[in-house]
Amino acid sequence: MEENMDFMKEAVKEAYEGINEKHGGPFGSVIVKDGKIVGRGHNQVLLNHDPTCHGEMMAIRDACKKLGSHDLSDCSIYTTAAPCPMCKGAILWANISKIYYGCTIEDTDSIGFRDEKFYESWNEGNDGNYGEETGREECLKLFSDYSKMQHDLY
């Protein structure tokens, strides 16, 4: 579809902006709602010294700010590479309905990024290597106190 290619070209432009400014890797994204770009972002890991500043994350932050909402239902994301697990999680949390990506995980791996390692870790159930339950009773009390409060779920 030609419209999809136009949005992907905008994601590629974002990526070029980032690599030309040495902000990070070749990852750019745009978020689209009702045929209009509502969020843009490119990898800024090096610029911000922050490993969470992937292109998708930056585009989500931009779209949420512009729309005044944490809920990006009815939005699509166009991104230059298949999202890593962190970004895919953020996309799901934001309720983005469709992901369009250019390069595959294998393509990303071929230029030196290690996304595959994270997918393997999740698929093999290696969470035990990094996490250990502690302070559960205190945290359960926190959750109980929160449940008793009047609040909006997101």
Side-chain angles (χ1 to χ4, degrees):
M1 198 174 193
E2 189 172 320
E3 184 178 69
N4 286 348
M5 274 308 302
D6 290 342
F7 293 133
M8 185 58 76
K9 286 178 183 177
E10 290 297 315
V12 170
K13 272 198 234 178
E14 276 293 321
Y16 271 113
E17 180 182 333
I19 62 172
N20 289 334
E21 296 295 324
K22 303 199 182 333
H23 291 172
F27 307 107
S29 300
V30 296
I31 295 178
V32 175
K33 183 172 183 165
D34 299 326
K36 293 185 167 82
I37 295 174
V38 296
R40 296 175 171 274
H42 60 264
N43 186 293
Q44 296 182 30
V45 169
L46 299 178
L47 175 69
N48 294 319
H49 307 290
D50 181 343
T52 69
C53 289
H54 290 193
E56 298 93 336
M57 302 295 280
M58 303 308 287
I60 290 169
R61 291 171 185 152
D62 187 45
C64 288
K65 186 176 179 181
K66 286 180 179 167
L67 296 175
S69 176
H70 60 278
D71 186 357
L72 300 179
S73 294
D74 302 320
C75 291
S76 298
I77 188 166
Y78 293 78
T79 185
T80 56
C84 74
M86 174 185 68
C87 293
K88 192 168 186 181
I91 289 165
L92 293 171
W93 278 115
N95 298 314
I96 293 172
S97 58
K98 183 77 175 179
I99 302 168
Y100 296 94
Y101 62 90
C103 293
T104 66
I105 296 164
E106 294 79 16
D107 297 328
T108 302
D109 184 60
S110 75
I111 61 167
F113 290 86
R114 57 194 172 118
D115 292 20
E116 185 65 33
K117 176 181 177 180
F118 295 100
Y119 283 105
E120 287 172 4
S121 176
W122 291 116
N123 291 338
E124 293 170 5
N126 287 337
D127 295 343
N129 293 336
Y130 301 112
E132 181 178 322
E133 184 182 296
T134 188
R136 184 166 189 264
E137 291 305 315
E138 290 83 357
C139 295
L140 284 173
K141 181 181 181 320
L142 167 68
F143 279 22
S144 174
D145 291 345
Y146 174 77
S147 294
K148 293 173 190 168
M149 297 170 72
Q150 186 137 85
H151 59 275
D152 293 327
L153 288 179
Y154 64 97

